Amino acid sequence: DTFFKTKSTPGVYFEAGAMNGIELSNTKPFQEMGWKGVLVEAMPDKYEALRKNRPRDACFQCILSDTSGETKTLNVDEKLPNVSSVAQNNAAHAAHWHKNSKTIDVRTKTLADILRFERTEYIDFFSLDIEGYELFALRGMDWNVRVGVWCIEMLGDKCHAVRSLLQAHGYRYHSNIHFNEIWIADETFKKQGRSTIRYVGPGTDFVTSAIRTTVLTFLCVLVIVALVKLMGSIDVFKKGTRRFAF
């Protein structure tokens, strides 16, 4: 309702980390409203289910990366397949989730190559949830293809780099939904009459956010120190009172 309630024609979506197209899908509701788009899933078994469940969409089985045609290792958790992730450049995620996971080799594609193959010129809604590998996927993006609304999972040590990349290509932070951040295009902000210069949120003004955090921390420390001193003074006063009591 926030972004598409006035849209009169079916839109276009892109979902990376689409699973089987039904469970945990961010684009299934749009598909039920007549939208169409592109779905990407790295796990072979989930991809086969995806093709059956979403026959109207273009489906790809690959790892999204900054280079096409490479082979990368995918850690697959059979009990929790939704946390399966690329092994390379993703050590923190692997250490947390994949101590006993099996591994498979999967070929890579760039977003730019997929969008070019599908002749996609505009995406209304883009869902990117690939367990810590979002930065490398975005490095392979064709930024000439504009996106109305991004929904990106933000976990791990690469979030600032993801935000910087989005901001550099004309997108602004809008809001949070659990671990996901919503980013929208500058032109959308302008249509809504919002200032992209004064707006401050995660990823839009890191320096300002850091200064605010530092100041708040300093003020909290001052309050704590003052309270400790006050409690000490009260304790001394009580001892003195007892000493001179008749």
Side-chain angles (χ1 to χ4, degrees), residues 170-190:
Y171 295 94
R172 294 293 178 265
Y173 169 86
H174 182 274
S175 55
N176 276 75
I177 302 177
H178 302 297
F179 297 117
N180 302 302
E181 290 186 5
I182 306 300
W183 286 67
I184 63 178
D186 275 348
E187 52 267 30
T188 306
F189 268 87
K190 292 172 183 176

Side-chain angles (χ1 to χ4, degrees), residues 82-212:
N82 55 300
V83 301
S84 298
S85 62
V86 181
Q88 289 85 354
N89 301 305
N90 209 7
H93 193 277
H96 183 77
W97 291 105
H98 298 298
K99 295 177 181 178
N100 299 306
S101 297
K102 71 174 186 179
T103 60
I104 60 173
D105 290 336
V106 180
R107 299 286 282 177
T108 64
K109 287 184 183 295
T110 64
L111 285 169
D113 283 349
I114 292 175
L115 295 173
R116 189 181 305 112
F117 182 82
E118 290 298 319
R119 298 181 180 179
T120 304
E121 298 179 352
Y122 183 80
I123 300 168
D124 293 281
F125 175 73
F126 199 124
S127 174
L128 182 60
D129 182 353
I130 49 176
E131 303 303 312
Y133 216 66
E134 290 80 9
L135 176 61
F136 298 95
L138 290 173
R139 284 176 176 171
M141 177 65 176
D142 178 359
W143 295 101
N144 291 316
V145 178
R146 297 299 287 169
V147 175
V149 179
W150 292 90
C151 177
I152 304 178
E153 185 178 57
M154 293 287 192
L155 292 173
D157 58 353
K158 302 179 182 66
C159 294
H160 287 309
V162 170
R163 294 175 183 130
S164 295
L165 193 58
L166 288 166
Q167 188 174 16
H169 289 92
Y171 295 94
R172 294 293 178 265
Y173 169 86
H174 182 274
S175 55
N176 276 75
I177 302 177
H178 302 297
F179 297 117
N180 302 302
E181 290 186 5
I182 306 300
W183 286 67
I184 63 178
D186 275 348
E187 52 267 30
T188 306
F189 268 87
K190 292 172 183 176
K191 286 179 182 178
Q192 295 178 349
R194 304 167 86 168
S195 170
T196 59
I197 297 175
R198 291 180 297 168
Y199 183 79
V200 177
T204 59
D205 192 339
F206 304 124
V207 176
T208 302
S209 298
I211 291 173
R212 287 181 176 179

